[in-house]
Amino acid sequence: MAKSFKSLLQSPKLEFLMEAHNGLSARIVEETGFSGIWASGLSISASYGVRDCNEASWTQIVETLEFMSECTTIPILMDADTGFGNFNNVIRLVQKLEKIEIAGICIEDKLFPKINSLVKGFNQPLASIGEFCGKINAAKDTQKNKDFCVIARTEAFVTGYKVEEAIKRASAYAEAGADGILVHSKLDNPSEIIEFVKLWQKDTPLIIVPTTYNSTPTKLFRELGISIVIWANHNVRACITAMREISKRIYLDSTTKEIESKIAKLDDIFQLTNMLELKISEEKYLKEFHDKFDNVLSSAKR
Ligand code: SPV
Ligand code: MG
C-alpha cells in the first residue's frame, strides 16, 4: 500500500484521492476506480456526529481506518491532524498505522486540539517550525516500511499568513524529510496556491485540497504541476443530502413505496460486504457439519 501511494505521489501525472469515512465508503471509492483514499478527519468525525476538533480520540479514528483498510486494496492516506499530541504521539501513531497497512499520514502544523481549517470565526494558532519538524523526523525515524509516506501540511494561508511564511514552512518540512507537502487554502479562488507554486523550488511533490476553490478547472492544477488533488469531504456530504431527502420522504409518506427505486437494493449491500465469499467459505468449512446435520434431520423425519 505504501509503495503504491508513493508512486501516486511521485508520478508525473495529476492523481486524485477521494474521501472515505468508513469501510463502506472506502469500498465504494475503490469500486469507482480511484487509485487512493483520503481518510478525512472532518468526514470521520462527522460520521460519528462529533466536531472536527479532536473530539474523537485517535484510537477511535484508527479503529475506523482498520475497517477501511480491511475493506480495500488501494492505498489510504490518513488525515492525522496534528499527530494527536507531540512527537511521541506521532511515533505511537505511525507504529499502529503500519500494522494496519495504512500507506501514509498527513500531519498539519497547527496545535492539538486542532480545529477544522474551513470553520469560520476561530483562532487557528500554528506550531513552531522547529516543533513540527521534530514530528516529521519522529515519523520518518519510526516507519519500518521505507515507502510509508509522511505528508507535511502547512496551514500558513489558512491562518492568515502570506506566501513567504507558507514557503518558509514548507521548505523546512521538506528538508526535515517530508515526502510531500500539502498546501491548504480556504479562499474561493486558487490565487494563494498559484503564488505558492511559483515560488516553490524544491522537488518535493505538492498536494492540494480544492474544497473552497472548487470552480477552478482541474486543467490549471495540471499546468501548475500539482501531484495530488484531494476531494476531501464529498462522500460524507453526499450522504447527508441523500439521508435527509430519504428520511424526510419516509417521514412524510409513512411508506417507503415511493423511494424504493431511489435507494440501494439490499443485494447491493450484500455484494459490497462480500456475502459471496461467506457462501464459498461456508461450503468449505461447514460442509461436514451440514452433512451430519442433514443426516440427523432426515433420520429424525423417518
Ligand atoms: C479533512 O478532510 O479533514 C481535511 C481537509 O483536513 S479540511 O476539511 O479542508 O481541513
Ligand atoms: Mg482534517
Side-chain angles (χ1 to χ4, degrees), residues 38 40-43 52 79 108 114 116-118 153 184 209 211 232-233:
W38 169 246
S40 154
L42 171 66
S43 305
D52 181 21
D79 173 6
E108 64 195 52
K114 55 59 72 70
N116 182 271
S117 309
L118 307 179
R153 161 171 164 177
H184 204 11
V209 185
T211 302
N233 45 47

Side-chain angles (χ1 to χ4, degrees), residues 7 19 22-23 38-39 82 102 145 156 213 220 236 240 254 273:
S7 57
E19 170 261 313
N22 56 24
W38 169 246
T82 60
I102 297 301
N145 181 335
Y213 44 103
L220 176 73
V236 83
I240 293 170
S254 298
T273 53

Side-chain angles (χ1 to χ4, degrees), residues 32-44:
T32 306
F34 280 99
S35 317
I37 293 171
W38 169 246
S40 154
L42 171 66
S43 305
I44 295 172

Side-chain angles (χ1 to χ4, degrees), residues 42 52-53 115-124 158 186:
L42 171 66
D52 181 21
C53 46
I115 288 189
N116 182 271
S117 309
L118 307 179
V119 193
K120 295 185 182 83
F122 287 91
N123 272 339
Q124 304 254 9
V158 167
K186 60 179 180 186

Side-chain angles (χ1 to χ4, degrees), residues 225-292:
I226 300 295
S227 170
I228 294 181
V229 162
I230 298 178
W231 310 120
N233 45 47
H234 302 80
N235 271 327
V236 83
R237 287 163 63 194
C239 291
I240 293 170
T241 307
M243 290 192 289
R244 280 223 174 98
E245 191 187 319
I246 294 301
S247 292
K248 188 166 180 190
R249 202 62 269 157
I250 297 176
Y251 177 75
L252 293 173
D253 296 352
S254 298
T255 169
T256 65
K257 189 168 172 285
E258 294 307 320
I259 54 86
E260 287 294 345
S261 61
K262 292 190 181 152
I263 59 177
K265 301 267 171 288
L266 287 173
D267 275 347
D268 203 354
I269 300 182
F270 300 145
Q271 194 239 319
L272 281 162
T273 53
N274 206 357
M275 287 302 286
L276 179 64
E277 190 275 330
L278 179 62
K279 187 78 210 141
I280 294 164
S281 292
E282 204 179 77
E283 264 151 37
K284 189 168 167 196
Y285 303 118
L286 276 182
K287 192 172 180 323
E288 208 180 306
F289 169 81
H290 277 310
D291 289 349
K292 265 195 205 142

Side-chain angles (χ1 to χ4, degrees), residues 15-163:
E15 306 281 355
F16 301 92
L17 299 186
M18 179 69 187
E19 170 261 313
H21 49 274
N22 56 24
L24 182 69
S25 53
R27 194 160 267 169
I28 289 172
V29 168
E30 175 167 5
E31 164 190 274
T32 306
F34 280 99
S35 317
I37 293 171
W38 169 246
S40 154
L42 171 66
S43 305
I44 295 172
S45 303
S47 72
Y48 287 141
V50 300
R51 293 174 284 220
D52 181 21
C53 46
N54 298 122
E55 287 185 345
S57 73
W58 75 275
T59 52
Q60 287 172 320
I61 305 282
V62 168
E63 197 178 338
T64 302
L65 264 94
E66 194 169 0
F67 279 105
M68 291 168 66
S69 175
E70 283 167 358
C71 283
T72 51
T73 62
I74 55 173
I76 299 174
L77 177 64
M78 180 195 196
D79 173 6
D81 293 344
T82 60
F84 307 101
N86 71 4
F87 73 93
N88 191 42
N89 301 87
V90 171
I91 290 174
R92 296 273 300 142
L93 180 66
V94 171
Q95 287 167 340
K96 289 275 182 208
L97 293 180
E98 285 205 291
K99 289 188 183 132
I100 59 169
E101 293 191 70
I102 297 301
I105 49 168
C106 175
I107 48 174
E108 64 195 52
D109 56 0
K110 292 207 299 235
L111 300 180
F112 178 87
K114 55 59 72 70
I115 288 189
N116 182 271
S117 309
L118 307 179
V119 193
K120 295 185 182 83
F122 287 91
N123 272 339
Q124 304 254 9
L126 289 184
S128 77
I129 294 179
E131 198 238 345
F132 192 68
C133 286
K135 285 184 183 175
I136 298 169
N137 296 151
K140 293 308 293 175
D141 287 348
T142 301
Q143 70 185 66
K144 290 206 176 88
N145 181 335
K146 68 175 179 21
D147 293 317
F148 184 86
C149 287
V150 176
I151 307 300
R153 161 171 164 177
T154 182
E155 294 279 288
F157 287 135
V158 167
T159 55
Y161 286 97
K162 300 270 175 268
V163 70

